[in-house]
Amino acid sequence: MRPTTKDLARAAGVSLATIDRVLNGRPGVREETAQAVGRAIDELGFVRNLSAANLARGRSYRFVFLLPRHGDQFLEALVERIEEAREGVAGDAILVRHLRVLDEDPHQTARIIAEQSPDMIDGLAIMAPESPQVRDAINRLIERGVEVVQFVSAQSLERRIDFVGIDNHAAGATAARLLGRFAGAARGKVLVVAETMNARDSLERRRGFDGVLTAGYPDLVALPSLETHGDAERARRVVRNVVTSHPEIVAAYILSSEARAPLEALRELCDLSRIVVVTHERTRYTEAGLASGDIDVVIAQDPGHLVRSAIRLLRARSDDREPIASQERVRIDILIKENLGASDASAVRADSDPATPARPP
């Protein structure tokens, strides 16, 4: 039987009321009494049942996911997993919601973060490009007592806070290794496309990609990164300009989370099945591309794991305890046509048209 608060009170020689004050950090306990309770905790191996304690106190957790206003299928998948998790954790008095309010203006993002307070929320998971304004706003929010995790896209903060996502440098290096192997003896240029290079995940992927491609595949030369800013017309324009100037393109690396706009632009100019294509994130579009042969490799991270990990981290930090690091490590998934699964591939072919316009957010 695990020790109870009654056992703890008996071992420390104090009342249950004193135990409650010590465990909850309330004032009115002498130092020697707190030390006696601490020794009893160590001797008995007492582990507090936080769920029961929160239930007794009527405590709930209020967590918010702050997401970009605009996005395509990967963002839709994240929202679906947030809603799924919201229902799953409601029984543990965890209230989860999401706000799609962020755009590319860092001042606007900083203002939205500044509007949050401990009276409104206990924890915030934020997915935003890196900027000094956003970094400062996050630091001030933490100082006000709100727990924060960096979600999918990280900031270069002075203080160390939790990040939920894959190792993006390793993901970019993996993309280069696979692209080089698939290209075989081909020689030529590699088209590289991102939504924005202001995002730290994009920078890390590009660094990892360049390091492996330069060292291991000298016949493949990566071109400067193109930025689409999530705009299909801009993607069409910048991709056309580069392909016109570099007809020797033999591969494409889409390092952002949304591949549809740049690949549809590239499809208008060449046969995707004749070049090596590596993208990120499993969506209906990238599944369809794998099934048709237009995409060779998808490097992915599980949206459900991302969301559940963010919630677990926010709860652990709210309870002032260390999370289980191994549980929150998000792995890099490598998908090719052959490991999609027969049912997945057939469903993609039946239900998803790569040329279908994006649904509005």
Side-chain angles (χ1 to χ4, degrees):
M1 296 288 291
R2 59 189 294 177
T4 65
T5 52
K6 290 183 179 179
D7 298 325
L8 192 57
R10 189 179 304 113
V14 298
S15 67
L16 279 171
T18 298
I19 293 295
D20 181 73
R21 284 195 292 272
V22 172
L23 292 178
N24 290 293
R26 298 194 183 101
V29 181
R30 293 182 300 172
E31 180 63 27
E32 56 267 31
T33 301
Q35 291 177 358
V37 173
R39 288 192 296 270
I41 288 174
D42 292 338
E43 292 169 1
L44 296 178
F46 176 81
V47 178
R48 190 180 185 196
N49 188 331
L50 287 171
S51 295
N54 289 337
L55 181 63
R57 289 182 293 162
R59 180 187 178 182
S60 61
Y61 303 85
R62 302 159 300 170
F63 299 150
V64 173
F65 286 81
L66 207 55
L67 305 174
R69 186 191 310 273
H70 304 292
D72 200 358
Q73 294 180 358
F74 180 63
L75 195 56
E76 289 177 3
L78 288 174
V79 170
E80 289 171 1
R81 298 291 81 78
I82 291 170
E83 289 303 302
E84 181 180 84
R86 181 180 62 82
E87 297 178 3
V89 300
D92 295 324
I94 301 175
L95 309 177
V96 175
R97 60 192 176 96
H98 73 274
L99 299 174
R100 291 186 62 174
V101 294
L102 305 182
D103 57 26
E104 289 195 359
D105 180 358
H107 298 282
Q108 182 253 19
T109 299
R111 285 194 298 270
I112 291 173
I113 296 172
E115 293 169 358
Q116 313 305 311
S117 73
D119 295 334
M120 302 164 54
I121 62 174
D122 299 297
L124 181 74
I126 180 168
M127 178 181 177
E130 184 173 22
S131 73
Q133 295 84 1
V134 173
R135 291 198 298 269
D136 291 345
I138 289 174
N139 282 326
R140 290 193 292 269
L141 183 62
I142 295 171
E143 291 168 358
R144 295 199 299 273
V146 175
E147 301 296 336
V148 177
V149 300
Q150 303 171 91
F151 188 62
V152 181
S153 186
Q155 308 285 323
S156 299
L157 298 168
E158 291 183 4
R159 68 178 75 212
R160 186 172 181 270
I161 67 172
D162 297 303
F163 168 67
V164 179
I166 56 174
D167 180 333
N168 283 297
H169 188 277
T174 302
R177 181 68 64 195
L178 292 169
L179 185 147
R181 291 293 185 91
F182 271 77
R187 304 179 58 152
K189 303 293 180 61
V190 179
L191 181 73
V192 181
V193 186
E195 286 188 21
T196 174
M197 293 306 293
N198 285 333
R200 185 176 169 188
D201 53 330
S202 295
L203 289 171
E204 291 179 349
R205 289 176 185 179
R206 181 72 208 237
R207 291 192 187 108
F209 183 83
D210 286 348
V212 170
L213 197 75
T214 301
Y217 306 95
D219 290 335
L220 300 174
V221 178
L223 295 169
S225 302
L226 302 180
E227 295 180 288
T228 68
H229 299 290
D231 182 89
E233 183 54 41
R234 176 185 171 89
R236 185 176 296 109
R237 185 172 64 254
V238 296
V239 168
R240 177 177 293 279
N241 289 342
V242 171
V243 172
T244 301
S245 302
H246 300 278
E248 68 277 26
I249 288 175
V250 295
Y253 174 40
I254 314 301
L255 59 79
S256 58
S257 60
E258 304 289 359
R260 174 153 48 175
L263 286 188
E264 286 306 303
L266 189 57
R267 185 193 303 277
E268 295 176 2
L269 305 169
C270 63
D271 181 356
L272 293 183
S273 66
R274 298 179 65 85
I275 65 173
V276 178
V277 177
V278 178
T279 71
H280 282 271
E281 311 310 349
R282 181 172 188 164
T283 65
R284 296 187 309 277
Y285 182 84
T286 56
E287 285 181 344
L290 285 173
S292 68
D294 285 347
I295 297 175
D296 296 285
V297 181
V298 174
I299 298 169
Q301 51 192 326
D302 182 356
H305 189 173
L306 293 171
V307 170
R308 293 189 298 272
S309 181
I311 293 171
R312 287 193 296 264
L313 285 167
L314 287 173
R315 178 168 181 176
R317 297 306 183 189
S318 297
D319 290 335
D320 196 25
R321 58 184 174 84
E322 281 297 313
I324 303 172
S326 60
Q327 185 181 30
E328 312 313 340
R329 190 175 297 116
V330 181
R331 70 182 185 183
I332 298 173
D333 293 330
I334 299 173
L335 301 174
I336 59 175
K337 179 178 181 179
E338 286 71 22
N339 67 4
L340 266 181
S343 59
D344 289 339
S346 60
V348 166
R349 284 192 293 270
D351 299 333
S352 181
D353 177 4
T356 301
R359 294 184 296 183

